[in-house]
Amino acid sequence: MTDQTTPAPATTPAPTDGAANRRSLAGAAVQLGTEVSINFGSSLAGLVIPVVGSFVVVAVRQLVMVVAVLPFYRPKRAELTWRRLWPAVALGVVLAIMNVTFYESVHLLGLGVAATIEFLGPLAIALASSRRVLDVICALAAGAGVVLLIGPGASDAEGIDPWGVAFALTAAAAWAGYILLTRRVAVGLPGLEGLTVASIVSLALLVPFAVATFDPAVIDWAVVGLLLGVGVLSSALPYSLDTWILRRISPRIYAIVTSFGPVIAAVFGWLVLSETFSPTEAIAILIVCGAAGTALATQRSRPKSQLEQTAEGMA
């Protein structure tokens, strides 16, 4: 029998609904800013890829990110185990694949079209566990929008490059893996440790290809400035913030905010790359974004247990 006069052990109070809402709102607002940053950086990449190639652009991106995050990484030898770090290593592989294939698709299709096709990745993640009829309708609508975007009459007389579509679809699959792995890395590894390991792995994979395709004759200060701008806007800034964001919002909310991405990409494609869109292409991009936004915004989150709320409050 316990002593009734002994006080119960103290527990960490769960965050209130108001605090949780503020955390979620802050995470969503920061993510919207990263969407603008990524797509502006992608438009700059569209300017420099024809000069130096995709591998050089992505390698510089990863180099900038490594330089930005490595000073904050203080590993302990006992923690450098495969069991602990494999999600970060896998994230590095996915980062390399996602960025190279996306930039190749931007080069072949244009930023607005490539970003819209790539968005099928996070949309698939958001709808994967759904059983609602509305979600099925929205998924079909999004698919119809992509068909409109890459079908006959959607582009110029040369039509859509099939390799560009293949690269964009590969980038979409890699982006889906990126979302899942980033969430796991954010929860399992403290601070920027996971991102630092992923950046080093990605850079190591890309350097041999970048060296093989590098032409020093094309480098000048304008090219260097564009490459650094791509690295900061598309990698160092948004990826450093993603772990912070995904500690505050669910993958579903992350995908909802991401649904604005194709429209933002199309705007920067128009402003920076002088891309033009036919009425059919513009409607297709809006259909994809509208279908995604409808499906994601109308889903209900699973109620969280007190333990989950407490853990999120301590993140």
Side-chain angles (χ1 to χ4, degrees):
M1 181 179 294
T2 59
D3 184 355
Q4 298 298 318
T5 62
T6 302
T11 59
T12 303
T16 64
D17 288 343
N21 288 338
R22 286 192 296 272
R23 285 168 55 85
S24 181
L25 182 60
V30 172
Q31 193 206 341
L32 184 59
T34 65
E35 284 295 318
V36 173
S37 178
I38 288 172
N39 285 291
F40 182 32
S42 294
S43 67
L44 298 182
L47 294 175
V48 74
I49 286 172
V51 179
V52 298
S54 297
F55 283 112
V56 173
V57 175
V58 180
V60 172
R61 275 187 59 169
Q62 296 308 112
L63 178 61
V64 170
M65 186 159 67
V66 168
V67 170
V69 299
L70 192 58
F72 302 98
Y73 183 41
R74 298 289 185 272
K76 298 178 181 178
R77 180 170 298 183
E79 296 176 345
L80 298 177
T81 63
W82 174 254
R83 182 176 181 180
R84 183 171 180 271
L85 296 179
W86 76 261
V89 174
L91 181 61
V93 175
V94 167
L95 274 174
I97 295 172
M98 179 179 70
N99 290 327
V100 169
T101 54
F102 177 65
Y103 280 163
E104 281 296 320
S105 68
V106 169
H107 179 55
L108 296 172
L109 301 176
L111 179 56
V113 175
T116 303
I117 298 174
E118 189 196 29
F119 178 65
L120 294 179
L123 178 59
I125 288 295
L127 299 180
S129 61
S130 177
R131 297 293 183 270
R132 301 186 311 163
V133 174
L134 176 60
D135 291 336
V136 174
I137 295 173
C138 290
L140 292 174
V146 171
V147 170
L148 278 177
L149 194 63
I150 64 177
S155 188
D156 56 27
E158 296 180 359
I160 293 292
D161 189 305
W163 279 108
V165 175
F167 283 129
L169 290 173
T170 302
W175 194 1
Y178 167 80
I179 293 173
L180 297 176
L181 287 168
T182 300
R183 177 70 174 180
R184 178 158 186 164
V185 167
V187 173
L189 298 173
L192 296 177
E193 179 179 355
L195 180 64
T196 305
V197 172
S199 301
I200 294 171
V201 170
S202 179
L203 180 61
L205 291 173
L206 291 165
V207 163
F209 298 97
V211 170
T213 58
F214 178 67
D215 181 6
V218 302
I219 300 299
D220 58 25
W221 287 112
V223 171
V224 171
L226 285 172
L227 289 171
L228 292 177
V230 172
V232 172
L233 293 169
S234 293
S235 281
L237 180 61
Y239 289 167
S240 297
L241 291 172
D242 266 357
T243 52
W244 184 89
I245 292 167
L246 284 167
R247 288 189 180 104
R248 287 158 176 79
I249 63 176
S250 68
R252 183 179 70 85
I253 299 299
Y254 183 97
I256 291 174
V257 178
T258 305
S259 67
F260 294 101
V263 171
I264 297 173
V267 170
F268 279 115
W270 171 63
L271 289 174
V272 178
L273 301 176
S274 300
E275 295 178 1
T276 58
F277 301 93
S278 68
T280 300
E281 288 175 320
I283 291 171
I285 293 172
L286 293 176
I287 287 175
V288 173
C289 294
T294 299
L296 300 172
T298 57
Q299 289 184 10
R300 294 182 178 180
S301 301
R302 174 181 62 84
K304 296 179 181 178
S305 66
Q306 183 174 359
L307 179 61
E308 290 174 317
Q309 293 177 10
T310 302
E312 289 188 357
M314 297 172 64

